[in-house]
Amino acid sequence: MELDDLKGLINQKLMEGSPNITENNFTDLLKGKASSVISKIKKSLWFEIACCALVVPLFIGIALFSSHSSLKIYFGLFGAIFIPFTLIFFYLLKKINEFDQSVLPIKENLQQLIKMLEDFTRRYFQFNMALLPICFLVALFLGYNEKEPIAVLDNIFDKLKVNKSIYIGFIVGYSIAIVFGLVYLTKWYIRKLYGKYIDQLKLLLTELKED
Amino acid sequence: MDYKEKDFIQLLNQNQKIIHKVCNLYMNWQEDKEDLFQEITLQAWKAYSQFRGEAKFSTWLYRVALNTAITFFRKDKKNAFIDTVSEMPELTVPMDRDPIEDKTKAMYEAIAALSKIDKAIVMLYLEDYSYAEISEIIGITANNIAVKMNRIKVKLREATLKNFERI
């Protein structure tokens, strides 16, 4: 029972049950939506870019027009950090579009896809993590050194009636918990979205590299 | 519809067998086959602007279809081998068994159980592509393809025998 003896029959069997697709059906298929990982990443990148486009002018506006120096620095830094990330997201999108239009040999295609997914997940993680030090350390530093009182915050602390050491202890503990929680959660989320897929692609590549 | 799209659809229509074969080989469930068919069509359309006609359209389409199928994953339970068997159309008539049909079915089941990479090599081999041509599509050397093909043949022979005894 050799493959060569059954070539013709296997070829026939591979066509069994396949409907004939007309040119009109193909026209409809071209209007459909892709469900590949690449199209999901593209959607995700467009979402990040849209968020950046919304947030950058808003934060820069707050930085320019706020009367509090801490808010100026805080939102100014936020706005500034979003700009290079917007550019990085555009760069990744350009690379993904180029890859999407290319027809490479299977091995090279797998290598490029793995590299692209790893690049994307790394940048996504960096983007999320870059905001943490600003969120906590800069906010703490600036809030502590703010000369002009911020009425809204002062009202909250007055109502809670906590003394300064408890307040600082709580803020430090809260910051540490949130930082570790966010690092772990972001890693888990990225792994859940793309981790298994990347592993499967790596297995295929390993198989191709075997002699 | 512009000229380019019309041209593309015409070529795709003439070569649709390739997409059907790839979908049938890589997916077990009808719904998944339809999804993969759509994905390959869209992927080919996206890449069509880069098609310069240096290779035959059919070879180019094989490359697109196999790349798409290999990187297209569905939930594990759907791809389990048992589903492949249950989903396969019954060829044999119990009272009047045709040994050639049984052998074909046994071989088909053995091919369906191969890895995604081995399936791609077998598919191109079945289409009578030379080892040099297969190596260009897969991206490894022709010698490596020959070694892999020999191993696949041994694997298929053993699996087909087992499947044949079961049938």
Side-chain angles (χ1 to χ4, degrees), chain A residues 188-206:
Chain A
W188 172 83
Y189 182 64
I190 291 172
R191 171 99 199 130
K192 186 176 162 22
L193 283 183
Y194 303 107
K196 197 180 170 197
Y197 185 66
I198 295 174
D199 290 346
Q200 284 170 323
L201 293 178
K202 281 183 176 170
L203 273 177
L204 291 170
L205 190 60
T206 308

Side-chain angles (χ1 to χ4, degrees), chain A residues 136 171-181:
Chain A
F136 295 104
I171 292 290
V172 170
Y174 172 81
S175 302
I176 292 168
I178 285 285
V179 168
F180 280 103

